[in-house]
Amino acid sequence: MEKIISLCKRRGFIFQGSEIYGGLAGTWDYGPLGVTLKNNIKRLWWEMFVENRDDMYGVDAALIMNPKVWEASGHVAGFADPLENGEKFNVMFKTSVGAGEEAIVSYLRPETAQGMFVNFKNVIDAFHPKLPFGMGQIGKAFRNEISPRDFIFRTREFEQMEIEYFVKEKDWKDFFENWREQMFDWMKAIGLPKKSIHELEVPEEDRAHYSKRTVDFEFDFPFGKKELYGLAYRTDFDLRNHSASSGVDLQYFEEETGERFTPHVIEPTFGVDRTILAVLTSAYTEDELNGETRTYLKLSKSIAPVKAAIFPLLKNKPELVEKAREVYMMLKKEIPQIVFDDNGNIGKRYRRQDEIGTPACITIDFDTLKDDTVTVRDRDTGEQKRVAIKDLKDSI
Ligand code: ATP
C-alpha cells in the first residue's frame, strides 16, 4: 500500500485532500493522471452500461434532495453505524438549505440510487420504456464514515456508478444472475484478474434494510479481502415507499396486459474510487528488465491515462525534435491521451512512462528521417519494433 500511495503522489495520480493544511480525514484529491484514469473508467462504464444499450436511461440528479426522500428511503431512521459505546451514529452529512428561518435541514446524498427512483416516473412519461429497463447514474456520494481508512478505499466523499434495473417480480432471479455475469464482464474489461475477485453471499443480518438478496464482489486488496462492488435485489421497496410518501403513483402500466404494478429492482453498484484502487493494486508490478529492477503499472490500454509517449532520440538534434513534434501533433489529433517527452535520457523516459502505465513509447531517430519509420517499445515486455508512421495509430 505504501508503495502505491507513494507512486500516486510522486507521479500525480492522487494527493491527500487539503494537504497543505495537514489534510482532512477521509478526503483525497485526484491529480492530472488520476482524473484522466478516473474519467476513462467512468467513460468506459457509461458506454458499456448506458450508451451502447437500448434498455438503459442515464440521469444526473441533484446531490441535495428533498429531505423527505431520505425519510421514505429509510436512511434517516436506519443508515447508521455503531460507535464504540454501542450508540448508533447516522453517517449522512446534514446540511442546511436556504437562509434564515426559511432554511430546512437536508443531507448530502449517501448513495446515488435515490436520484434514480425519484425520476422513475419522469423517465416513464418521457420515453415510455418497456420492462425490463434500467436507469444509470455516475456521481458523488457522501458518508460521514466513523473511521475512514485504507487510502481511497473508505473515504467520506466518493463516487458511485449505479444501475437500477426494473423488472417484473417473477423475473428477479434471472436478472440477478444476468447482472452477476455482466459485472464480471466489466471487471474483465478493466483488467482485474478473476482470481482476485471473490463473491460473498451476504447473510440476512448483514444486508441493507432494503435488500432481499445481496452478493458482494470482494477483491484482494493489499490490506485484505474487502468489498469492491455490490449486487442487490432491492425488491419494490423504494418505489413503493416513495409512492406512499409522496402521494405520486409510481406504478408501471403494461399496455399489452392492461396490468398496473410496481416493478422490482436489481441494483448493481460500483464504487469508482474502489475501482481505481483495485486497478492500481493489480497493475502495480515490480520486475527485472535488462538486468535492472523496475516498477511499472500494467494498466489495460482502455483506461491507461497516457496511451503513448513520443520522444526524439536526442534532445539536442533539432531535426529529430522537429520530426518528433510533427509525429506528436499528428497523433494527438487521433489519440488525445499522448504526451511528448524529451527530458533526460531514453532510459529515464522509459522508466517514467512505465511507472504511470503508458503502454507504448515511440522514439524518433535518425532512420526516421530517412524512411518514416519509428521505434515502438512495449511497456510489458520491453520489446521494440519498427513501425511506419502511417501505421502508428493502428499499432498503438
Ligand atoms: P462497506 O460495507 O465497505 O461500508 P457498503 O456495503 O456500505 O460498503 P454500499 O452501500 O453497497 O457499500 O455502497 C455501494 C458501493 O459504494 C460499494 O460497493 C463501494 O464500492 C462504494 N463505497 C461505499 N462506501 C464507500 C466509502 N466510504 N468510500 C469509498 N467507496 C465506498
Side-chain angles (χ1 to χ4, degrees):
M1 261 316 259
E2 288 310 317
K3 285 178 176 175
I4 291 173
I5 296 172
S6 144
L7 186 149
C8 283
K9 177 173 162 66
R10 193 170 67 248
R11 306 310 315 273
F13 281 89
I14 301 168
F15 310 120
Q16 193 185 4
S18 323
E19 188 177 354
I20 61 168
Y21 286 100
L24 176 70
T27 67
W28 295 89
D29 293 346
Y30 286 82
L33 293 181
V35 69
T36 307
L37 175 62
K38 189 175 182 175
N39 284 341
N40 288 350
I41 287 171
K42 291 195 286 184
R43 192 178 307 128
L44 191 67
W45 188 91
W46 194 258
E47 278 171 14
M48 190 162 162
F49 292 121
V50 182
E51 270 176 11
N52 291 355
R53 306 172 55 129
D54 298 325
D55 60 344
M56 288 293 299
Y57 296 82
V59 291
D60 183 17
L63 294 177
I64 303 175
M65 305 174 76
N66 188 312
K68 287 180 186 152
V69 170
W70 304 111
E71 278 159 29
S73 69
H75 284 78
V76 171
F79 204 57
D81 282 344
L83 292 163
E84 269 75 65
N85 61 10
E87 225 174 89
K88 284 277 188 179
F89 173 73
N90 194 307
V91 297
M92 282 198 293
F93 275 101
K94 250 190 201 154
T95 187
S96 88
V97 183
E101 289 186 357
E102 311 258 291
I104 57 160
V105 168
S106 190
Y107 308 89
L108 304 184
R109 67 181 181 199
E111 59 173 21
T112 66
Q114 298 305 325
M116 292 184 267
F117 294 126
V118 300
N119 280 298
F120 175 76
K121 189 173 181 324
N122 287 332
V123 167
I124 297 249
D125 291 348
F127 299 93
H128 311 288
K130 294 240 176 304
L131 281 181
F133 74 91
M135 292 171 71
Q137 175 164 234
I138 300 180
K140 288 254 168 149
F142 300 81
R143 295 181 190 177
N144 198 358
E145 296 279 0
I146 295 168
S147 40
R149 61 182 171 278
D150 299 321
F151 193 31
I152 52 171
F153 177 81
R154 186 174 302 286
T155 55
R156 290 185 168 137
E157 173 178 343
F158 54 96
E159 247 177 304
Q160 295 181 317
M161 307 182 283
E162 291 195 305
I163 292 163
E164 306 305 329
Y165 202 74
F166 302 100
V167 302
K168 291 184 185 174
E169 180 177 8
K170 69 172 176 53
D171 295 332
W172 80 265
K173 284 189 178 138
D174 291 343
F175 284 105
F176 195 94
E177 191 51 37
N178 179 267
W179 277 104
R180 245 189 86 226
E181 283 162 25
Q182 293 187 59
M183 291 179 84
F184 274 113
D185 292 344
W186 161 256
M187 292 184 266
K188 191 172 172 201
I190 54 171
L192 299 183
K194 201 157 183 201
K195 64 173 177 15
S196 310
I197 298 157
H198 313 277
E199 287 179 89
L200 173 77
E201 185 72 48
V202 180
E204 192 178 348
E205 62 272 22
D206 295 337
R207 286 201 294 263
H209 57 275
Y210 49 72
S211 174
K212 249 198 183 157
R213 184 181 176 198
T214 299
V215 168
D216 280 351
F217 294 83
E218 297 188 312
F219 183 82
D220 293 317
F221 288 103
F223 41 87
K225 193 169 75 171
K226 292 274 158 58
E227 173 178 340
L228 170 64
Y229 301 143
L231 175 63
Y233 169 39
R234 284 180 92 125
T235 69
D236 58 354
F237 178 89
D238 299 273
L239 289 181
R240 204 167 18 83
N241 282 336
H242 284 310
S243 267
S245 150
S246 66
V248 175
D249 181 9
L250 299 180
Q251 286 191 327
Y252 178 85
F253 176 68
E254 192 173 54
E255 269 173 35
E256 292 82 358
T257 57
E259 275 179 65
R260 202 173 276 284
F261 56 91
T262 307
H264 280 232
V265 173
I266 305 295
E267 178 193 69
T269 175
F270 309 71
V272 175
D273 311 81
R274 287 187 191 179
T275 303
I276 292 173
L277 188 54
V279 160
L280 290 173
T281 301
S282 35
Y284 186 93
T285 315
E286 288 173 351
D287 72 354
E288 204 169 282
L289 192 66
N290 308 327
E292 277 183 57
T293 53
R294 65 156 182 168
T295 299
Y296 74 105
L297 291 184
K298 205 171 184 164
L299 293 174
S300 95
K301 270 190 197 174
S302 58
I303 56 173
V306 178
K307 309 290 187 233
I310 322 282
F311 316 143
L313 179 66
L314 299 167
K315 192 181 177 172
N316 55 3
K317 296 282 176 213
E319 63 273 35
L320 291 183
V321 176
E322 197 185 313
K323 185 73 183 172
R325 282 254 165 228
E326 198 184 289
V327 173
Y328 169 71
M329 296 306 285
M330 180 201 87
L331 265 186
K332 183 102 179 153
K333 284 196 207 112
E334 309 271 2
I335 307 170
Q337 291 175 356
I338 61 171
V339 297
F340 181 89
D341 189 0
D342 61 2
N343 250 322
N345 63 35
I346 285 278
K348 284 218 179 82
R349 295 177 205 160
Y350 282 157
R351 217 133 312 133
R352 258 200 311 273
Q353 297 303 328
D354 285 348
E355 257 203 328
I356 64 171
T358 307
C361 287
I362 298 165
T363 305
I364 278 69
D365 56 23
F366 291 103
D367 285 343
T368 313
L369 303 177
K370 284 184 247 154
D371 63 4
D372 267 347
T373 64
V374 296
T375 303
V376 178
R377 171 200 180 258
D378 178 84
R379 172 196 68 200
D380 300 348
T381 60
E383 272 166 25
Q384 308 193 6
K385 59 176 189 211
R386 264 338 255 191
V387 174
I389 290 176
K390 64 175 174 44
D391 299 330
L392 261 183
K393 187 192 152 206
D394 289 341
S395 148
I396 64 174

